[in-house]
Amino acid sequence: MSDLPSEWTHEPRKILRFSPGDKVADIDPNSTPGYTGDKDGSEEVQAERNERFADLQEMLYANGRAGDHRSLLLVLQGMDTAGKGSIVKHVVGAGNPMGIRYTAFGVPTEEERAHHYLWRIRKALPVAGQIGVFDRSHYEDVLVVRVHDLVPPEVWASRYVEINAFEKELVDSGTTIVKCAMFVSLDEQKDRLAARLKRPDKYWKYNPSDLDEREKWPAYQEAYQAVLDRTSTDHAPWFVVPCDKKWYTRLAVNELLIEALKSMELEWPPADFDVEAEQKRLKKA
Ligand code: ADP
């Protein structure tokens, strides 16, 4: 039975899933697909769903400790200010850090550049029982790399198929992949960048190159369209997450994680010792 809060009219994993033919240009970043609630009530729902996520995450971790090889990988892709950091802090952050593996992928280092682009990705994959979080990912190698002509077109063009095969390999080895394409509008991005420039405690989030990327918005839209068209597969579909309303983004990604964890049909691992005997021993101890 679904325990989805009643404000949801549709399951996020269904309503947000990218369908062939969907157009990036038609995405409304200010929308709240499938959700009838508003910001006022969202904190309460979020708090309850944070707990649900934390329980399931702990169960995944406990199973990993008990020999289950499965793991989960959350891929967060989006333009600057879309709210990747906010998901890490307010959604994944509700979990137990013991079972979380967070990696942010920036401009490749010299060492990374000397290897295949998936080299640094493979090194950061979650192990049994973990939730891996990719703050940017291998998709940068068909996004920024494509938009900025960092490699010849024939090189990036061959990567979509390669990425699909790579993700299939991961899924086959027991990793559930949740890919979120996070879309913020140009106007909202401007407001968020302006807010960063007004507050000394937010300067660290600002990067002058963010403005250069803004100028390339249409090229990024095109590159995101190609990513969605070519790498939303049955084994690792994309979810399109509107991001102008932060509270919605958090609720949506939280549900996507809960739904993915539930689909793993986890149970608490049984004791590998005689519980009653141990209770008796403890009494006497
Ligand atoms: P963020 O903007 O996510 O907070 P940073 O300021 O460290 O973090 O920016 C990361 C930058 O690294 C982004 O501009 C991103 O496009 C870039 N980047 C990530 N992966 C690659 C890659 N494979 N090749 C080139 N640039 C990359």
Side-chain angles (χ1 to χ4, degrees):
M1 210 188 70
S2 172
D3 61 353
L4 198 60
S6 59
E7 287 84 352
W8 286 101
T9 54
H10 296 77
E11 287 171 272
R13 75 190 158 105
K14 290 190 181 148
I15 194 142
L16 297 178
R17 187 176 169 142
F18 175 81
S19 305
D22 285 351
K23 294 291 166 228
V24 166
D26 296 336
I27 296 168
D28 177 3
N30 199 34
S31 61
T32 59
Y35 195 77
T36 54
D38 56 15
K39 186 179 178 182
D40 283 347
S42 69
E43 265 182 45
E44 207 177 314
V45 179
Q46 184 67 61
E48 192 257 317
R49 301 313 275 167
N50 278 346
E51 276 186 40
R52 181 79 175 109
F53 164 71
D55 280 350
L56 287 164
Q57 183 247 330
E58 191 157 89
M59 210 184 275
L60 176 66
Y61 183 69
N63 276 282
R65 294 284 298 260
D68 188 329
H69 65 287
R70 291 177 300 168
S71 63
L72 190 146
L73 175 63
L74 174 67
V75 174
L76 300 172
Q77 267 302 151
M79 298 294 285
D80 295 307
T81 76
K84 302 183 291 293
S86 154
I87 293 301
V88 174
K89 185 171 171 180
H90 298 286
V91 177
V92 182
N96 188 332
M98 273 196 299
I100 308 284
R101 181 163 192 202
Y102 167 81
T103 313
F105 292 99
V107 177
T109 61
E110 205 176 313
E111 186 188 25
E112 286 168 350
R113 271 204 311 276
H115 288 86
H116 187 272
Y117 69 98
L118 291 175
W119 179 73
R120 65 175 182 165
I121 303 293
R122 287 185 188 278
K123 283 205 307 177
L125 291 171
V127 300
Q130 280 184 332
I131 294 187
V133 182
F134 282 3
D135 179 344
R136 302 184 187 271
S137 64
H138 40 301
Y139 286 99
E140 291 290 330
D141 292 280
V142 284
L143 288 164
V144 65
V145 165
R146 169 177 171 154
V147 169
H148 287 272
D149 292 320
L150 300 182
V151 299
E154 61 274 18
V155 174
W156 58 253
S158 67
R159 291 181 176 169
Y160 301 97
V161 171
E162 193 171 36
I163 287 173
N164 288 341
F166 166 64
E167 291 180 353
K168 180 81 172 57
E169 181 196 315
L170 292 186
V171 171
D172 287 347
S173 67
T175 302
T176 299
I177 308 180
V178 178
K179 301 192 292 194
C180 296
M182 302 173 65
F183 288 92
V184 66
S185 68
L186 260 176
D187 285 348
E188 180 63 23
Q189 190 195 49
K190 191 167 195 170
D191 288 350
R192 290 183 186 177
L193 289 174
R196 288 180 183 180
L197 285 173
K198 268 194 209 128
R199 290 178 47 177
D201 63 326
K202 299 283 178 197
Y203 291 166
W204 66 275
K205 289 190 184 183
Y206 187 84
N207 186 336
S209 72
D210 295 350
L211 292 190
D212 304 324
E213 298 305 272
R214 242 177 105 72
E215 282 174 16
K216 300 212 174 268
W217 201 269
Y220 270 106
Q221 297 273 96
E222 204 181 308
Y224 269 97
Q225 184 72 55
V227 162
L228 296 174
D229 288 339
R230 305 196 54 186
T231 64
S232 199
T233 53
D234 285 342
H235 58 270
W238 276 104
F239 297 102
V240 171
V241 186
C243 290
D244 279 12
K245 293 189 167 77
K246 285 185 189 169
W247 57 268
Y248 174 81
T249 312
R250 290 173 196 166
L251 287 175
V253 177
N254 205 337
E255 289 309 332
L256 292 173
L257 286 172
I258 288 173
E259 286 166 351
L261 287 164
K262 279 173 66 178
S263 73
M264 294 167 92
E265 301 187 339
L266 299 161
E267 305 271 350
W268 289 108
D272 57 0
F273 49 84
D274 181 338
V275 178
E276 259 177 53
E278 290 305 303
Q279 284 169 341
K280 278 186 197 146
R281 275 183 66 209
L282 182 63
K283 261 189 200 153
K284 287 189 218 144

